[in-house]
mmCIF file of all heavy atoms in Angstrom:
data_model
loop_
_atom_site.group_PDB
_atom_site.id
_atom_site.type_symbol
_atom_site.label_atom_id
_atom_site.label_comp_id
_atom_site.label_asym_id
_atom_site.label_seq_id
_atom_site.Cartn_x
_atom_site.Cartn_y
_atom_site.Cartn_z
ATOM 1 N N MET A 1 46.540 -9.018 2.221
ATOM 2 C CA MET A 1 46.442 -9.434 0.834
ATOM 3 C C MET A 1 46.200 -8.215 -0.042
ATOM 4 O O MET A 1 45.540 -7.274 0.363
ATOM 5 C CB MET A 1 45.286 -10.428 0.654
ATOM 6 C CG MET A 1 45.326 -11.592 1.624
ATOM 7 S SD MET A 1 46.783 -12.600 1.470
ATOM 8 C CE MET A 1 46.554 -13.328 -0.150
ATOM 9 N N ILE A 2 46.752 -8.278 -1.244
ATOM 10 C CA ILE A 2 46.663 -7.129 -2.142
ATOM 11 C C ILE A 2 46.011 -7.550 -3.454
ATOM 12 O O ILE A 2 46.363 -8.583 -4.011
ATOM 13 C CB ILE A 2 48.076 -6.578 -2.439
ATOM 14 C CG1 ILE A 2 48.729 -6.120 -1.137
ATOM 15 C CG2 ILE A 2 48.007 -5.427 -3.433
ATOM 16 C CD1 ILE A 2 50.235 -6.073 -1.212
ATOM 17 N N ILE A 3 45.059 -6.770 -3.910
ATOM 18 C CA ILE A 3 44.433 -7.027 -5.205
ATOM 19 C C ILE A 3 44.957 -6.028 -6.216
ATOM 20 O O ILE A 3 44.911 -4.827 -5.993
ATOM 21 C CB ILE A 3 42.897 -6.924 -5.122
ATOM 22 C CG1 ILE A 3 42.347 -8.005 -4.197
ATOM 23 C CG2 ILE A 3 42.274 -7.044 -6.509
ATOM 24 C CD1 ILE A 3 40.842 -7.939 -4.008
ATOM 25 N N ASN A 4 45.471 -6.564 -7.319
ATOM 26 C CA ASN A 4 45.902 -5.707 -8.410
ATOM 27 C C ASN A 4 44.674 -5.409 -9.272
ATOM 28 O O ASN A 4 44.186 -6.272 -9.996
ATOM 29 C CB ASN A 4 46.979 -6.416 -9.238
ATOM 30 C CG ASN A 4 47.506 -5.532 -10.351
ATOM 31 O OD1 ASN A 4 46.795 -4.673 -10.880
ATOM 32 N ND2 ASN A 4 48.757 -5.723 -10.710
ATOM 33 N N ARG A 5 44.174 -4.204 -9.183
ATOM 34 C CA ARG A 5 42.915 -3.875 -9.851
ATOM 35 C C ARG A 5 43.049 -3.864 -11.365
ATOM 36 O O ARG A 5 42.070 -3.951 -12.086
ATOM 37 C CB ARG A 5 42.400 -2.511 -9.365
ATOM 38 C CG ARG A 5 42.047 -2.560 -7.884
ATOM 39 C CD ARG A 5 40.819 -1.714 -7.562
ATOM 40 N NE ARG A 5 40.227 -2.133 -6.303
ATOM 41 C CZ ARG A 5 40.509 -1.574 -5.140
ATOM 42 N NH1 ARG A 5 41.332 -0.560 -5.069
ATOM 43 N NH2 ARG A 5 39.935 -2.023 -4.031
ATOM 44 N N GLU A 6 44.261 -3.770 -11.857
ATOM 45 C CA GLU A 6 44.433 -3.790 -13.308
ATOM 46 C C GLU A 6 44.317 -5.212 -13.852
ATOM 47 O O GLU A 6 43.976 -5.412 -15.006
ATOM 48 C CB GLU A 6 45.789 -3.180 -13.683
ATOM 49 C CG GLU A 6 45.820 -1.693 -13.382
ATOM 50 C CD GLU A 6 47.099 -1.024 -13.859
ATOM 51 O OE1 GLU A 6 47.923 -1.687 -14.516
ATOM 52 O OE2 GLU A 6 47.265 0.158 -13.555
ATOM 53 N N LEU A 7 44.618 -6.199 -13.008
ATOM 54 C CA LEU A 7 44.502 -7.593 -13.440
ATOM 55 C C LEU A 7 43.120 -8.167 -13.147
ATOM 56 O O LEU A 7 42.611 -9.001 -13.878
ATOM 57 C CB LEU A 7 45.560 -8.450 -12.737
ATOM 58 C CG LEU A 7 47.013 -8.187 -13.123
ATOM 59 C CD1 LEU A 7 47.937 -9.063 -12.288
ATOM 60 C CD2 LEU A 7 47.233 -8.457 -14.598
ATOM 61 N N CYS A 8 42.532 -7.729 -12.059
ATOM 62 C CA CYS A 8 41.237 -8.274 -11.628
ATOM 63 C C CYS A 8 40.143 -7.989 -12.650
ATOM 64 O O CYS A 8 39.978 -6.857 -13.082
ATOM 65 C CB CYS A 8 40.856 -7.659 -10.293
ATOM 66 S SG CYS A 8 39.191 -8.095 -9.739
ATOM 67 N N ASP A 9 39.410 -9.059 -13.026
ATOM 68 C CA ASP A 9 38.285 -8.860 -13.946
ATOM 69 C C ASP A 9 36.937 -8.965 -13.224
ATOM 70 O O ASP A 9 35.902 -9.138 -13.851
ATOM 71 C CB ASP A 9 38.359 -9.833 -15.128
ATOM 72 C CG ASP A 9 38.380 -11.279 -14.683
ATOM 73 O OD1 ASP A 9 38.111 -11.536 -13.494
ATOM 74 O OD2 ASP A 9 38.652 -12.149 -15.529
ATOM 75 N N ILE A 10 37.002 -8.909 -11.884
ATOM 76 C CA ILE A 10 35.781 -8.891 -11.065
ATOM 77 C C ILE A 10 34.913 -10.125 -11.340
ATOM 78 O O ILE A 10 33.704 -10.044 -11.499
ATOM 79 C CB ILE A 10 34.993 -7.569 -11.263
ATOM 80 C CG1 ILE A 10 35.961 -6.384 -11.212
ATOM 81 C CG2 ILE A 10 33.947 -7.391 -10.177
ATOM 82 C CD1 ILE A 10 35.303 -5.035 -11.363
ATOM 83 N N CYS A 11 35.567 -11.294 -11.395
ATOM 84 C CA CYS A 11 34.827 -12.525 -11.657
ATOM 85 C C CYS A 11 34.069 -12.985 -10.419
ATOM 86 O O CYS A 11 33.105 -13.735 -10.513
ATOM 87 C CB CYS A 11 35.785 -13.621 -12.104
ATOM 88 S SG CYS A 11 36.922 -14.186 -10.826
ATOM 89 N N GLY A 12 34.554 -12.589 -9.237
ATOM 90 C CA GLY A 12 33.858 -12.946 -8.010
ATOM 91 C C GLY A 12 34.282 -14.262 -7.383
ATOM 92 O O GLY A 12 33.798 -14.631 -6.315
ATOM 93 N N SER A 13 35.192 -14.993 -8.023
ATOM 94 C CA SER A 13 35.607 -16.303 -7.516
ATOM 95 C C SER A 13 36.212 -16.231 -6.127
ATOM 96 O O SER A 13 35.995 -17.111 -5.292
ATOM 97 C CB SER A 13 36.632 -16.935 -8.461
ATOM 98 O OG SER A 13 36.072 -17.160 -9.727
ATOM 99 N N CYS A 14 36.963 -15.213 -5.852
ATOM 100 C CA CYS A 14 37.656 -15.108 -4.570
ATOM 101 C C CYS A 14 36.682 -14.912 -3.416
ATOM 102 O O CYS A 14 36.920 -15.382 -2.303
ATOM 103 C CB CYS A 14 38.661 -13.962 -4.608
ATOM 104 S SG CYS A 14 37.944 -12.368 -5.094
ATOM 105 N N VAL A 15 35.575 -14.276 -3.665
ATOM 106 C CA VAL A 15 34.601 -14.006 -2.605
ATOM 107 C C VAL A 15 34.103 -15.304 -1.982
ATOM 108 O O VAL A 15 33.991 -15.428 -0.763
ATOM 109 C CB VAL A 15 33.404 -13.192 -3.165
ATOM 110 C CG1 VAL A 15 32.380 -12.940 -2.078
ATOM 111 C CG2 VAL A 15 33.893 -11.878 -3.756
ATOM 112 N N ALA A 16 33.846 -16.306 -2.835
ATOM 113 C CA ALA A 16 33.251 -17.560 -2.373
ATOM 114 C C ALA A 16 34.203 -18.393 -1.521
ATOM 115 O O ALA A 16 33.759 -19.183 -0.701
ATOM 116 C CB ALA A 16 32.776 -18.374 -3.570
ATOM 117 N N VAL A 17 35.505 -18.239 -1.708
ATOM 118 C CA VAL A 17 36.455 -19.105 -1.002
ATOM 119 C C VAL A 17 36.997 -18.488 0.282
ATOM 120 O O VAL A 17 37.761 -19.117 1.009
ATOM 121 C CB VAL A 17 37.638 -19.516 -1.911
ATOM 122 C CG1 VAL A 17 37.136 -20.291 -3.117
ATOM 123 C CG2 VAL A 17 38.464 -18.318 -2.331
ATOM 124 N N CYS A 18 36.604 -17.280 0.577
ATOM 125 C CA CYS A 18 37.108 -16.646 1.794
ATOM 126 C C CYS A 18 36.341 -17.149 3.025
ATOM 127 O O CYS A 18 35.134 -16.981 3.111
ATOM 128 C CB CYS A 18 36.980 -15.131 1.692
ATOM 129 S SG CYS A 18 37.612 -14.296 3.162
ATOM 130 N N PRO A 19 37.045 -17.776 3.982
ATOM 131 C CA PRO A 19 36.379 -18.360 5.145
ATOM 132 C C PRO A 19 35.871 -17.333 6.146
ATOM 133 O O PRO A 19 35.053 -17.657 7.005
ATOM 134 C CB PRO A 19 37.475 -19.227 5.774
ATOM 135 C CG PRO A 19 38.748 -18.582 5.352
ATOM 136 C CD PRO A 19 38.498 -18.009 3.982
ATOM 137 N N VAL A 20 36.348 -16.117 6.053
ATOM 138 C CA VAL A 20 35.929 -15.104 7.033
ATOM 139 C C VAL A 20 35.151 -13.943 6.399
ATOM 140 O O VAL A 20 34.965 -12.901 7.016
ATOM 141 C CB VAL A 20 37.157 -14.551 7.805
ATOM 142 C CG1 VAL A 20 37.774 -15.638 8.669
ATOM 143 C CG2 VAL A 20 38.182 -13.955 6.867
ATOM 144 N N ASP A 21 34.701 -14.151 5.159
ATOM 145 C CA ASP A 21 33.923 -13.120 4.458
ATOM 146 C C ASP A 21 34.619 -11.758 4.446
ATOM 147 O O ASP A 21 33.991 -10.728 4.689
ATOM 148 C CB ASP A 21 32.532 -12.969 5.089
ATOM 149 C CG ASP A 21 31.635 -14.156 4.764
ATOM 150 O OD1 ASP A 21 31.840 -14.755 3.701
ATOM 151 O OD2 ASP A 21 30.755 -14.473 5.566
ATOM 152 N N ALA A 22 35.897 -11.781 4.164
ATOM 153 C CA ALA A 22 36.652 -10.526 4.167
ATOM 154 C C ALA A 22 36.619 -9.824 2.813
ATOM 155 O O ALA A 22 37.033 -8.679 2.704
ATOM 156 C CB ALA A 22 38.103 -10.792 4.558
ATOM 157 N N ILE A 23 36.127 -10.521 1.799
ATOM 158 C CA ILE A 23 36.166 -9.958 0.447
ATOM 159 C C ILE A 23 34.773 -9.516 0.026
ATOM 160 O O ILE A 23 33.814 -10.259 0.170
ATOM 161 C CB ILE A 23 36.693 -10.986 -0.571
ATOM 162 C CG1 ILE A 23 38.021 -11.572 -0.090
ATOM 163 C CG2 ILE A 23 36.846 -10.338 -1.946
ATOM 164 C CD1 ILE A 23 38.572 -12.656 -0.997
ATOM 165 N N SER A 24 34.704 -8.296 -0.472
ATOM 166 C CA SER A 24 33.437 -7.815 -1.003
ATOM 167 C C SER A 24 33.625 -7.398 -2.453
ATOM 168 O O SER A 24 34.687 -6.913 -2.841
ATOM 169 C CB SER A 24 32.914 -6.646 -0.174
ATOM 170 O OG SER A 24 33.888 -5.632 -0.095
ATOM 171 N N VAL A 25 32.612 -7.623 -3.242
ATOM 172 C CA VAL A 25 32.699 -7.314 -4.663
ATOM 173 C C VAL A 25 31.566 -6.380 -5.050
ATOM 174 O O VAL A 25 30.435 -6.536 -4.593
ATOM 175 C CB VAL A 25 32.672 -8.609 -5.507
ATOM 176 C CG1 VAL A 25 31.388 -9.400 -5.267
ATOM 177 C CG2 VAL A 25 32.833 -8.314 -6.987
ATOM 178 N N SER A 26 31.891 -5.394 -5.834
ATOM 179 C CA SER A 26 30.868 -4.516 -6.364
ATOM 180 C C SER A 26 30.975 -4.552 -7.881
ATOM 181 O O SER A 26 31.780 -5.294 -8.434
ATOM 182 C CB SER A 26 31.066 -3.084 -5.869
ATOM 183 O OG SER A 26 32.120 -2.478 -6.577
ATOM 184 N N GLU A 27 30.185 -3.755 -8.522
ATOM 185 C CA GLU A 27 30.203 -3.740 -9.982
ATOM 186 C C GLU A 27 31.554 -3.282 -10.523
ATOM 187 O O GLU A 27 31.971 -3.649 -11.608
ATOM 188 C CB GLU A 27 29.105 -2.796 -10.475
ATOM 189 C CG GLU A 27 28.827 -2.881 -11.955
ATOM 190 C CD GLU A 27 27.677 -1.979 -12.355
ATOM 191 O OE1 GLU A 27 26.924 -1.522 -11.475
ATOM 192 O OE2 GLU A 27 27.545 -1.726 -13.552
ATOM 193 N N PHE A 28 32.262 -2.490 -9.714
ATOM 194 C CA PHE A 28 33.473 -1.864 -10.232
ATOM 195 C C PHE A 28 34.771 -2.350 -9.606
ATOM 196 O O PHE A 28 35.836 -2.200 -10.191
ATOM 197 C CB PHE A 28 33.388 -0.345 -10.052
ATOM 198 C CG PHE A 28 32.171 0.243 -10.678
ATOM 199 C CD1 PHE A 28 31.125 0.691 -9.903
ATOM 200 C CD2 PHE A 28 32.067 0.331 -12.060
ATOM 201 C CE1 PHE A 28 29.988 1.231 -10.486
ATOM 202 C CE2 PHE A 28 30.934 0.867 -12.655
ATOM 203 C CZ PHE A 28 29.886 1.315 -11.866
ATOM 204 N N CYS A 29 34.698 -2.915 -8.405
ATOM 205 C CA CYS A 29 35.946 -3.336 -7.805
ATOM 206 C C CYS A 29 35.729 -4.385 -6.722
ATOM 207 O O CYS A 29 34.627 -4.598 -6.238
ATOM 208 C CB CYS A 29 36.707 -2.152 -7.223
ATOM 209 S SG CYS A 29 35.949 -1.449 -5.762
ATOM 210 N N VAL A 30 36.826 -5.052 -6.376
ATOM 211 C CA VAL A 30 36.836 -6.047 -5.316
ATOM 212 C C VAL A 30 37.720 -5.522 -4.195
ATOM 213 O O VAL A 30 38.800 -4.994 -4.440
ATOM 214 C CB VAL A 30 37.390 -7.384 -5.841
ATOM 215 C CG1 VAL A 30 37.502 -8.393 -4.720
ATOM 216 C CG2 VAL A 30 36.498 -7.916 -6.944
ATOM 217 N N THR A 31 37.240 -5.672 -2.973
ATOM 218 C CA THR A 31 37.975 -5.116 -1.841
ATOM 219 C C THR A 31 38.174 -6.178 -0.768
ATOM 220 O O THR A 31 37.264 -6.942 -0.464
ATOM 221 C CB THR A 31 37.180 -3.938 -1.222
ATOM 222 O OG1 THR A 31 36.878 -3.008 -2.246
ATOM 223 C CG2 THR A 31 38.009 -3.246 -0.145
ATOM 224 N N ILE A 32 39.364 -6.225 -0.198
ATOM 225 C CA ILE A 32 39.635 -7.118 0.928
ATOM 226 C C ILE A 32 39.686 -6.291 2.207
ATOM 227 O O ILE A 32 40.422 -5.309 2.298
ATOM 228 C CB ILE A 32 40.966 -7.866 0.733
ATOM 229 C CG1 ILE A 32 40.855 -8.822 -0.451
ATOM 230 C CG2 ILE A 32 41.323 -8.645 2.011
ATOM 231 C CD1 ILE A 32 42.138 -9.586 -0.753
ATOM 232 N N ASN A 33 38.893 -6.712 3.173
ATOM 233 C CA ASN A 33 38.922 -6.080 4.492
ATOM 234 C C ASN A 33 40.131 -6.630 5.245
ATOM 235 O O ASN A 33 40.127 -7.770 5.713
ATOM 236 C CB ASN A 33 37.625 -6.389 5.235
ATOM 237 C CG ASN A 33 37.566 -5.708 6.593
ATOM 238 O OD1 ASN A 33 38.587 -5.449 7.214
ATOM 239 N ND2 ASN A 33 36.373 -5.424 7.048
ATOM 240 N N GLN A 34 41.159 -5.827 5.344
ATOM 241 C CA GLN A 34 42.426 -6.305 5.916
ATOM 242 C C GLN A 34 42.296 -6.640 7.397
ATOM 243 O O GLN A 34 43.064 -7.453 7.929
ATOM 244 C CB GLN A 34 43.535 -5.257 5.723
ATOM 245 C CG GLN A 34 43.740 -4.825 4.277
ATOM 246 C CD GLN A 34 44.259 -5.933 3.373
ATOM 247 O OE1 GLN A 34 44.781 -6.943 3.828
ATOM 248 N NE2 GLN A 34 44.134 -5.753 2.061
ATOM 249 N N ASP A 35 41.344 -6.023 8.063
ATOM 250 C CA ASP A 35 41.144 -6.305 9.483
ATOM 251 C C ASP A 35 40.541 -7.686 9.709
ATOM 252 O O ASP A 35 40.776 -8.325 10.727
ATOM 253 C CB ASP A 35 40.222 -5.241 10.101
ATOM 254 C CG ASP A 35 40.902 -3.885 10.161
ATOM 255 O OD1 ASP A 35 42.139 -3.862 10.197
ATOM 256 O OD2 ASP A 35 40.203 -2.877 10.153
ATOM 257 N N LYS A 36 39.767 -8.161 8.725
ATOM 258 C CA LYS A 36 39.134 -9.482 8.845
ATOM 259 C C LYS A 36 40.028 -10.588 8.301
ATOM 260 O O LYS A 36 39.981 -11.727 8.764
ATOM 261 C CB LYS A 36 37.831 -9.495 8.049
ATOM 262 C CG LYS A 36 36.618 -8.935 8.758
ATOM 263 C CD LYS A 36 35.431 -9.067 7.824
ATOM 264 C CE LYS A 36 34.122 -9.244 8.575
ATOM 265 N NZ LYS A 36 33.025 -9.492 7.613
ATOM 266 N N CYS A 37 40.827 -10.287 7.292
ATOM 267 C CA CYS A 37 41.626 -11.289 6.581
ATOM 268 C C CYS A 37 42.595 -12.015 7.512
ATOM 269 O O CYS A 37 43.304 -11.399 8.299
ATOM 270 C CB CYS A 37 42.407 -10.599 5.462
ATOM 271 S SG CYS A 37 43.569 -11.689 4.612
ATOM 272 N N ILE A 38 42.600 -13.365 7.424
ATOM 273 C CA ILE A 38 43.522 -14.175 8.234
ATOM 274 C C ILE A 38 44.671 -14.720 7.387
ATOM 275 O O ILE A 38 45.411 -15.600 7.803
ATOM 276 C CB ILE A 38 42.765 -15.344 8.901
ATOM 277 C CG1 ILE A 38 42.050 -16.203 7.849
ATOM 278 C CG2 ILE A 38 41.754 -14.819 9.930
ATOM 279 C CD1 ILE A 38 41.478 -17.507 8.404
ATOM 280 N N GLU A 39 44.790 -14.222 6.157
ATOM 281 C CA GLU A 39 45.877 -14.591 5.246
ATOM 282 C C GLU A 39 45.973 -16.087 5.003
ATOM 283 O O GLU A 39 47.058 -16.668 5.021
ATOM 284 C CB GLU A 39 47.207 -14.024 5.772
ATOM 285 C CG GLU A 39 47.169 -12.506 5.835
ATOM 286 C CD GLU A 39 48.527 -11.886 6.091
ATOM 287 O OE1 GLU A 39 49.533 -12.604 5.982
ATOM 288 O OE2 GLU A 39 48.570 -10.683 6.391
ATOM 289 N N CYS A 40 44.819 -16.705 4.773
ATOM 290 C CA CYS A 40 44.793 -18.150 4.508
ATOM 291 C C CYS A 40 45.318 -18.475 3.112
ATOM 292 O O CYS A 40 45.765 -19.584 2.847
ATOM 293 C CB CYS A 40 43.376 -18.678 4.665
ATOM 294 S SG CYS A 40 42.252 -18.092 3.379
ATOM 295 N N GLY A 41 45.244 -17.516 2.205
ATOM 296 C CA GLY A 41 45.768 -17.734 0.861
ATOM 297 C C GLY A 41 44.765 -18.306 -0.134
ATOM 298 O O GLY A 41 45.083 -18.476 -1.309
ATOM 299 N N ASN A 42 43.565 -18.627 0.313
ATOM 300 C CA ASN A 42 42.553 -19.218 -0.584
ATOM 301 C C ASN A 42 42.288 -18.351 -1.806
ATOM 302 O O ASN A 42 42.220 -18.840 -2.932
ATOM 303 C CB ASN A 42 41.227 -19.421 0.163
ATOM 304 C CG ASN A 42 41.274 -20.594 1.107
ATOM 305 O OD1 ASN A 42 42.291 -21.274 1.209
ATOM 306 N ND2 ASN A 42 40.194 -20.824 1.806
ATOM 307 N N CYS A 43 42.122 -17.067 -1.572
ATOM 308 C CA CYS A 43 41.772 -16.169 -2.667
ATOM 309 C C CYS A 43 42.909 -16.073 -3.683
ATOM 310 O O CYS A 43 42.685 -16.026 -4.885
ATOM 311 C CB CYS A 43 41.406 -14.791 -2.130
ATOM 312 S SG CYS A 43 42.674 -14.019 -1.108
ATOM 313 N N GLN A 44 44.115 -16.079 -3.172
ATOM 314 C CA GLN A 44 45.273 -16.003 -4.070
ATOM 315 C C GLN A 44 45.344 -17.229 -4.962
ATOM 316 O O GLN A 44 45.637 -17.144 -6.153
ATOM 317 C CB GLN A 44 46.556 -15.888 -3.232
ATOM 318 C CG GLN A 44 47.819 -15.731 -4.063
ATOM 319 C CD GLN A 44 49.032 -15.440 -3.204
ATOM 320 O OE1 GLN A 44 48.963 -14.687 -2.258
ATOM 321 N NE2 GLN A 44 50.152 -16.048 -3.519
ATOM 322 N N GLN A 45 45.037 -18.397 -4.384
ATOM 323 C CA GLN A 45 45.103 -19.637 -5.161
ATOM 324 C C GLN A 45 43.990 -19.738 -6.187
ATOM 325 O O GLN A 45 44.193 -20.262 -7.285
ATOM 326 C CB GLN A 45 45.049 -20.843 -4.217
ATOM 327 C CG GLN A 45 46.354 -21.062 -3.483
ATOM 328 C CD GLN A 45 46.278 -22.236 -2.509
ATOM 329 O OE1 GLN A 45 45.417 -23.104 -2.632
ATOM 330 N NE2 GLN A 45 47.164 -22.244 -1.544
ATOM 331 N N ILE A 46 42.804 -19.245 -5.858
ATOM 332 C CA ILE A 46 41.652 -19.435 -6.743
ATOM 333 C C ILE A 46 41.628 -18.408 -7.875
ATOM 334 O O ILE A 46 41.034 -18.662 -8.919
ATOM 335 C CB ILE A 46 40.335 -19.363 -5.927
ATOM 336 C CG1 ILE A 46 39.192 -20.063 -6.692
ATOM 337 C CG2 ILE A 46 39.918 -17.937 -5.630
ATOM 338 C CD1 ILE A 46 39.203 -21.546 -6.557
ATOM 339 N N CYS A 47 42.253 -17.284 -7.698
ATOM 340 C CA CYS A 47 42.114 -16.194 -8.672
ATOM 341 C C CYS A 47 42.654 -16.582 -10.052
ATOM 342 O O CYS A 47 43.850 -16.818 -10.207
ATOM 343 C CB CYS A 47 42.854 -14.945 -8.182
ATOM 344 S SG CYS A 47 42.736 -13.593 -9.371
ATOM 345 N N PRO A 48 41.782 -16.642 -11.065
ATOM 346 C CA PRO A 48 42.211 -17.025 -12.406
ATOM 347 C C PRO A 48 43.063 -15.968 -13.086
ATOM 348 O O PRO A 48 43.816 -16.273 -14.012
ATOM 349 C CB PRO A 48 40.896 -17.242 -13.152
ATOM 350 C CG PRO A 48 39.896 -16.418 -12.421
ATOM 351 C CD PRO A 48 40.331 -16.398 -10.989
ATOM 352 N N ALA A 49 42.948 -14.747 -12.608
ATOM 353 C CA ALA A 49 43.702 -13.651 -13.229
ATOM 354 C C ALA A 49 45.017 -13.375 -12.495
ATOM 355 O O ALA A 49 45.773 -12.482 -12.884
ATOM 356 C CB ALA A 49 42.839 -12.389 -13.244
ATOM 357 N N ARG A 50 45.294 -14.171 -11.444
ATOM 358 C CA ARG A 50 46.489 -13.969 -10.619
ATOM 359 C C ARG A 50 46.601 -12.526 -10.143
ATOM 360 O O ARG A 50 47.683 -11.913 -10.164
ATOM 361 C CB ARG A 50 47.760 -14.359 -11.396
ATOM 362 C CG ARG A 50 47.800 -15.849 -11.693
ATOM 363 C CD ARG A 50 49.005 -16.191 -12.553
ATOM 364 N NE ARG A 50 49.289 -17.619 -12.467
ATOM 365 C CZ ARG A 50 50.235 -18.136 -11.690
ATOM 366 N NH1 ARG A 50 50.974 -17.359 -10.942
ATOM 367 N NH2 ARG A 50 50.443 -19.428 -11.654
ATOM 368 N N ALA A 51 45.474 -12.014 -9.744
ATOM 369 C CA ALA A 51 45.428 -10.601 -9.358
ATOM 370 C C ALA A 51 45.693 -10.380 -7.873
ATOM 371 O O ALA A 51 45.877 -9.249 -7.439
ATOM 372 C CB ALA A 51 44.065 -10.014 -9.733
ATOM 373 N N ILE A 52 45.714 -11.490 -7.098
ATOM 374 C CA ILE A 52 45.875 -11.344 -5.651
ATOM 375 C C ILE A 52 47.249 -11.847 -5.229
ATOM 376 O O ILE A 52 47.697 -12.908 -5.642
ATOM 377 C CB ILE A 52 44.779 -12.127 -4.892
ATOM 378 C CG1 ILE A 52 43.399 -11.662 -5.349
ATOM 379 C CG2 ILE A 52 44.933 -11.931 -3.385
ATOM 380 C CD1 ILE A 52 42.249 -12.413 -4.693
ATOM 381 N N SER A 53 47.903 -11.078 -4.387
ATOM 382 C CA SER A 53 49.207 -11.488 -3.871
ATOM 383 C C SER A 53 49.305 -11.105 -2.396
ATOM 384 O O SER A 53 48.459 -10.389 -1.870
ATOM 385 C CB SER A 53 50.322 -10.806 -4.667
ATOM 386 O OG SER A 53 50.176 -9.406 -4.591
ATOM 387 N N GLY A 54 50.334 -11.634 -1.754
ATOM 388 C CA GLY A 54 50.574 -11.225 -0.382
ATOM 389 C C GLY A 54 50.473 -12.312 0.654
ATOM 390 O O GLY A 54 50.769 -12.077 1.822
ATOM 391 N N ALA A 55 50.065 -13.552 0.266
ATOM 392 C CA ALA A 55 49.968 -14.631 1.250
ATOM 393 C C ALA A 55 51.348 -15.034 1.742
ATOM 394 O O ALA A 55 52.315 -15.025 0.985
ATOM 395 C CB ALA A 55 49.253 -15.838 0.652
ATOM 396 N N LYS A 56 51.422 -15.352 3.025
ATOM 397 C CA LYS A 56 52.714 -15.724 3.596
ATOM 398 C C LYS A 56 53.108 -17.137 3.199
ATOM 399 O O LYS A 56 54.279 -17.489 3.194
ATOM 400 C CB LYS A 56 52.648 -15.617 5.122
ATOM 401 C CG LYS A 56 52.653 -14.169 5.596
ATOM 402 C CD LYS A 56 52.387 -14.086 7.080
ATOM 403 C CE LYS A 56 52.279 -12.627 7.515
ATOM 404 N NZ LYS A 56 51.629 -12.515 8.837
ATOM 405 N N LYS A 57 52.090 -17.988 2.898
ATOM 406 C CA LYS A 57 52.425 -19.374 2.541
ATOM 407 C C LYS A 57 51.971 -19.679 1.130
ATOM 408 O O LYS A 57 51.258 -18.900 0.534
ATOM 409 C CB LYS A 57 51.784 -20.328 3.527
ATOM 410 C CG LYS A 57 50.285 -20.157 3.679
ATOM 411 C CD LYS A 57 49.773 -21.006 4.815
ATOM 412 C CE LYS A 57 48.297 -20.745 5.059
ATOM 413 N NZ LYS A 57 47.795 -21.480 6.197
HETATM 414 S S1 LIG B 1 43.660 -14.632 2.326
HETATM 415 FE FE1 LIG B 1 41.951 -15.907 3.038
HETATM 416 S S2 LIG B 1 41.000 -14.676 4.670
HETATM 417 FE FE2 LIG B 1 42.277 -13.281 3.488
HETATM 418 S S3 LIG B 1 40.896 -12.377 1.957
HETATM 419 FE FE3 LIG B 1 41.914 -14.176 1.010
HETATM 420 S S4 LIG B 1 40.478 -15.894 1.319
HETATM 421 FE FE4 LIG B 1 39.904 -14.233 2.765
HETATM 422 S S1 LIG B 2 39.234 -14.073 -8.192
HETATM 423 FE FE1 LIG B 2 40.765 -12.571 -8.943
HETATM 424 S S2 LIG B 2 39.898 -11.768 -10.851
HETATM 425 FE FE2 LIG B 2 38.236 -12.769 -9.721
HETATM 426 S S3 LIG B 2 37.280 -11.113 -8.513
HETATM 427 FE FE3 LIG B 2 38.819 -12.092 -7.192
HETATM 428 S S4 LIG B 2 40.687 -10.843 -7.495
HETATM 429 FE FE4 LIG B 2 39.314 -10.381 -9.190
#
């Protein structure tokens, strides 16, 4: 999964919906741990800024 940092407003919504805790948020950026991510697509669907892409489904 890919986060477009120019679109992301660091709202934190994606962190809560990740079933494997692959997303971490700091004051300045949001990061997806690609090794943990199972590409469920939850974060892509929840993101209000449409900043996440890359889900296969
Ligand atoms: S696609 Fe699913 S597993 Fe991967 S970062 Fe998003 S919510 Fe987490
Ligand atoms: S839900 Fe979208 S805008 Fe909010 S922190 Fe996650 S990537 Fe950024």
Side-chain angles (χ1 to χ4, degrees):
M1 308 299 293
I2 299 158
I3 296 177
N4 183 330
R5 295 217 160 94
E6 292 185 5
L7 292 177
C8 173
D9 58 12
I10 315 181
C11 68
S13 298
C14 54
V15 179
V17 299
C18 181
V20 294
D21 288 331
I23 308 177
S24 55
V25 60
S26 77
E27 191 177 345
F28 304 107
C29 70
V30 176
T31 306
I32 294 178
N33 183 332
Q34 305 294 342
D35 291 335
K36 276 181 150 185
C37 174
I38 56 170
E39 298 191 13
C40 69
N42 285 0
C43 56
Q44 183 173 320
Q45 285 178 20
I46 201 80
C47 179
R50 294 176 161 260
I52 304 178
S53 58
K56 286 172 185 163
K57 55 188 175 184

